[in-house]
């Protein structure tokens, strides 16, 4: 897959984009209006030329351009900036979180630093008060970089995710997405459904009709206090 060979496309707004949201009737899933997207070539720095497919392009609104920021990651997923505006990415296929500093501010990552490793499916991360929070399949972890070298020496399991989706054999959607509400000091984590079409009241194993025990945590968003306590179901009905 291409995303295992090259990473990011950074988007830069050059001129105000034309608003295209007016006039959508309620319930519109696929707008029929012309979004006026244009095919734009992705700018590839010379050091990445032999590592990405030729002729990369994106369909974008007028005034946008795109350039490659980093290449060579293995299954990159969600990204987040730390308190020093250094981009970190969940390099999921390699079981890593990778830091991508751009010290000379040329919009190209200077190097890849493995900030943390040893996950099941590290899909999402967030930063709060200098710590890095990572949502793995069955736990939320907190990492701290004590000497500022972008390698996180301290690792702590903040809380286990005891939802039925924690066991990969039970179904699909075993990745977790984490968001932190800094104002309220709350953590929110998305828990997937075991299959694409089943309901949480009658879950089945992945692409089968084998039943699973029902749970309100299937297809939910869980809320925790910032210290990992106080788990509750915040929202339901998501896949």
């Amino acid at each position: 897959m291409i995303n295992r060979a090259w990473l990011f496309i950074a988007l830069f707004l050059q001129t105000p984009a034309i608003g295209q949201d007016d006039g959508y009737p309620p319930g519109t899933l696929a707008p029929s209006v012309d979004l006026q997207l244009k095919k734009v070539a992705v700018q590839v720095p010379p050091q990445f030329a032999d590592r990405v497919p030729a002729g990369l392009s994106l369909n974008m609104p007028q005034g946008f351009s795109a350039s490659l920021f980093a290449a060579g990651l293995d299954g990159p997923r969600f990204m987040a900036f730390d308190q020093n505006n250094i981009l970190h990415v969940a390099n999921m296929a390699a079981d890593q979180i990778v830091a991508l500093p751009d010290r000379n501010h040329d919009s190209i990552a200077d190097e890849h630093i493995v900030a943390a490793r040893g996950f099941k499916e590290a899909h999402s991360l967030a930063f709060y008060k200098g710590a890095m929070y990572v949502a793995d399949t069955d736990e939320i972890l907190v990492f701290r970089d004590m000497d500022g070298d972008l390698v996180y020496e301290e690792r702590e399991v903040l809380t286990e995710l005891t939802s039925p989706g924690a066991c990969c054999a039970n179904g699909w959607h075993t990745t977790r997405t984490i968001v932190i509400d800094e104002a309220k000091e709350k953590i929110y984590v998305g828990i997937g459904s075991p299959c694409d079409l089943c309901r949480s009241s009658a879950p089945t194993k992945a692409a089968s009709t084998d039943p699973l025990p029902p749970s309100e945590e299937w297809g939910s968003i869980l809320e925790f206090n910032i210290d990992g306590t106080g788990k509750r179901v915040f929202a339901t009905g998501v896949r």
Side-chain angles (χ1 to χ4, degrees), residues 226-238:
I226 199 66
D227 63 359
T229 63
K231 182 182 79 167
R232 74 181 183 103
V233 175
F234 178 78
T236 59
V238 296

Side-chain angles (χ1 to χ4, degrees), residues 12-95:
F12 302 95
L13 179 62
Q14 296 178 329
T15 60
I18 300 173
Q20 297 293 336
D21 291 335
D22 297 337
Y24 289 179
T28 299
L29 297 180
S32 59
V33 298
D34 183 3
L35 298 178
Q36 301 181 14
L37 302 181
K38 304 294 183 183
K39 185 175 182 180
V40 177
V42 175
Q43 301 169 22
V44 179
Q47 58 265 48
F48 299 148
D50 61 345
R51 304 176 69 180
V52 301
L56 291 177
S57 66
L58 287 176
N59 293 327
M60 294 184 291
Q62 182 179 356
F64 280 84
S65 64
S67 63
L68 209 61
F69 178 70
L73 295 188
D74 192 9
R77 303 292 287 211
F78 278 31
M79 300 171 283
F81 287 95
D82 69 5
Q83 67 278 5
N84 296 316
N85 291 321
I86 295 174
L87 186 66
H88 292 63
V89 60
N91 196 26
M92 195 172 76
D95 302 323

Side-chain angles (χ1 to χ4, degrees), residues 26-234:
T28 299
L29 297 180
S32 59
V33 298
D34 183 3
L35 298 178
Q36 301 181 14
L37 302 181
K38 304 294 183 183
K39 185 175 182 180
V40 177
V42 175
Q43 301 169 22
V44 179
Q47 58 265 48
F48 299 148
D50 61 345
R51 304 176 69 180
V52 301
L56 291 177
S57 66
L58 287 176
N59 293 327
M60 294 184 291
Q62 182 179 356
F64 280 84
S65 64
S67 63
L68 209 61
F69 178 70
L73 295 188
D74 192 9
R77 303 292 287 211
F78 278 31
M79 300 171 283
F81 287 95
D82 69 5
Q83 67 278 5
N84 296 316
N85 291 321
I86 295 174
L87 186 66
H88 292 63
V89 60
N91 196 26
M92 195 172 76
D95 302 323
Q96 301 170 340
I97 302 296
V98 174
L100 300 169
D102 177 17
R103 299 182 181 89
N104 59 358
H105 305 293
D106 63 352
S107 298
I108 301 172
D110 300 325
E111 59 178 327
H112 295 185
I113 298 174
V114 177
R117 66 175 76 239
F119 302 97
K120 292 180 180 177
E121 287 185 295
H123 164 77
S124 176
L125 65 154
F127 289 91
Y128 180 65
K129 291 187 175 179
M132 179 173 68
Y133 292 73
V134 179
D136 205 354
T137 296
D138 55 4
E139 58 190 8
I140 300 174
L141 302 112
V142 183
F143 295 85
R144 293 176 178 85
D145 177 13
M146 306 307 295
D147 56 8
D149 63 353
L150 296 177
V151 177
Y152 290 71
E153 298 87 8
E154 289 192 2
R155 176 186 182 122
E156 173 190 356
V157 176
L158 185 69
T159 186
E160 294 183 354
L161 298 176
T162 56
S163 67
C167 179
C168 298
N170 279 347
W172 294 330
H173 309 143
T174 54
T175 57
R176 308 289 176 242
T177 301
I178 186 171
V179 173
I180 296 178
D181 183 339
E182 297 186 7
K184 296 182 179 179
E185 292 197 320
K186 297 289 187 180
I187 299 171
Y188 297 91
V189 178
I191 304 295
S193 295
C195 69
D196 285 334
L197 299 177
C198 63
R199 297 181 181 275
S200 59
S201 58
T204 59
K205 292 184 179 180
S208 75
T209 57
D210 297 336
L212 290 169
S215 170
E216 64 177 354
E217 292 187 13
W218 285 122
S220 72
I221 298 173
L222 301 181
E223 179 190 75
F224 299 86
N225 297 321
I226 199 66
D227 63 359
T229 63
K231 182 182 79 167
R232 74 181 183 103
V233 175
F234 178 78

